[in-house]
Amino acid sequence: GASLAVLSRLGDDQGSHGTLGDGSVPSVRPLLAIFGLRLVEASEALPSDNAVAWLASRLLSSQAVDDAVNGGAFRVPEGRPQLLPDGQLVQSWRPKANAKAGRQLAEKAKRLRAVVVGPIAEILQAQHGLGPPLLRSPGGGVSQTAADAFLHIRELIRESSGKASEDGATEAQLVLVSHPHQLPYLSLMAAAAGFRRVAVLDPRLFGGIPWNTFGCSDLGYSLTTDAGKALAQEATRLESYVTQLRETEPDRLQRLQPLLEKVNATLAFHRCVVQADGSATRCAGR
């Protein structure tokens, strides 16, 4: 995999296509970074990838998403700044909701870019007719590491924007889109790669996915996938990366420590929800 040490800081991409969790409308046009689900049994990821592709296609085509379809197993409790998105280190993003903004978004939809990592790119192309130039894929297949993916994302941004800083990297508002249980780890990897403006989808939007329609449980996994084991894989990936940093880049690990603490807390919250059979409400005070 690529060394994160060579990844440089990314930043401004002018234009506005949504609001962040603090209610502001920054003068940046977000780049959606859409990741497929990584499981030991790759075939079990297909239902989840189909569901996330459905959500991504609606975001990219300016269609509304009703975030109250199901119980919302991924809703992060309010007033819990130790969880992600916290509005500081990692923002929350959703498309503009008012009618005027919706029309503007529709007019600019062709300019909304996304980078898609993994087989989910094929789903978006085949099932939703979404491909280049709106979407670009760094390639690499299911074996591509997150570190490699973010390196390739940087290169794709540079190629498409034509703007380069002194270190050869362009800047962008990066919005991570994936199965919600992957977002904490991906947030850390994005920050480690030098992305200064990292956001995830507003967790309420995942409540708008008709998971059951795609053969998934309300926890977003195929009916043959153990959600607890899948979440444990995320924790293992995180621990492996932290161990690598501890041994090779302790200074980087120290800089990432505030975010790492929130990543761990968020994974613990998701574990509680899994153990509570998908009830985020029962875990709100933990």
Side-chain angles (χ1 to χ4, degrees), residues 218-254:
D218 287 344
L219 289 168
Y221 294 104
S222 74
L223 300 181
T224 60
T225 300
D226 184 313
K229 290 182 179 179
L231 190 53
Q233 290 179 28
E234 291 302 305
T236 298
R237 284 206 295 165
L238 176 64
E239 182 57 32
S240 176
Y241 176 61
V242 170
T243 298
Q244 175 189 337
L245 285 184
R246 188 178 294 117
E247 295 174 350
T248 62
E249 298 183 82
D251 290 343
R252 183 184 294 272
L253 178 59
Q254 184 175 2

Side-chain angles (χ1 to χ4, degrees), residues 7 13-14 41 51 85 91 119-120 131 139 171 217 224 231 234 237 269:
L7 296 180
D13 182 13
Q14 299 302 317
E41 296 296 334
Q91 297 283 349
I120 199 169
E171 296 189 340
S217 68
T224 60
L231 190 53
E234 291 302 305
R237 284 206 295 165
F269 169 75

Side-chain angles (χ1 to χ4, degrees), residues 27-242:
S27 59
V28 291
R29 179 161 55 106
L31 171 73
L32 301 187
I34 306 168
F35 284 76
L37 181 62
R38 288 178 63 94
L39 294 174
V40 172
E41 296 296 334
S43 60
E44 293 187 5
L46 182 59
S48 299
D49 283 351
N50 281 329
V52 172
W54 175 88
L55 176 60
S57 72
R58 297 184 76 84
L59 295 173
L60 290 166
S61 58
S62 312
Q63 299 180 64
V65 178
D66 179 2
D67 57 19
V69 170
N70 62 24
F74 308 108
R75 291 174 183 258
V76 177
E78 296 182 3
R80 297 285 300 279
Q82 69 270 40
L83 301 179
L84 298 177
D86 63 343
Q88 297 177 346
L89 299 177
V90 175
Q91 297 283 349
S92 172
W93 181 89
R94 65 186 296 137
K96 293 177 181 178
N98 64 73
K100 182 178 179 180
R103 288 194 298 272
Q104 292 173 344
L105 182 58
E107 293 169 0
K108 299 178 181 178
K110 292 182 179 179
R111 294 166 50 196
L112 180 64
R113 295 173 300 151
V115 176
V116 189
V117 180
I120 199 169
E122 299 174 6
I123 297 173
L124 285 166
Q125 178 80 66
Q127 298 185 17
H128 303 283
L130 295 173
L134 181 65
L135 308 183
R136 296 189 66 181
S137 175
V142 296
S143 62
Q144 184 177 58
T145 67
D148 286 335
F150 284 115
L151 175 63
H152 292 149
I153 287 171
R154 185 193 72 171
E155 295 303 316
L156 289 176
I157 294 172
R158 186 176 62 175
E159 290 174 9
S160 62
S161 70
K163 295 193 320 182
S165 60
E166 291 181 358
D167 62 6
T170 58
E171 296 189 340
Q173 166 71 57
L174 194 68
V175 178
L176 302 174
V177 182
S178 184
H179 186 286
H181 288 174
Q182 287 194 147
L183 293 177
Y185 173 75
L186 291 175
S187 297
L188 182 71
M189 297 300 288
F195 285 87
R196 295 185 302 151
R197 298 186 177 100
V198 179
V200 297
L201 287 185
D202 183 331
R204 292 172 294 181
L205 290 176
F206 292 102
I209 297 178
W211 293 103
N212 301 147
T213 299
F214 296 101
C216 298
S217 68
D218 287 344
L219 289 168
Y221 294 104
S222 74
L223 300 181
T224 60
T225 300
D226 184 313
K229 290 182 179 179
L231 190 53
Q233 290 179 28
E234 291 302 305
T236 298
R237 284 206 295 165
L238 176 64
E239 182 57 32
S240 176
Y241 176 61
V242 170

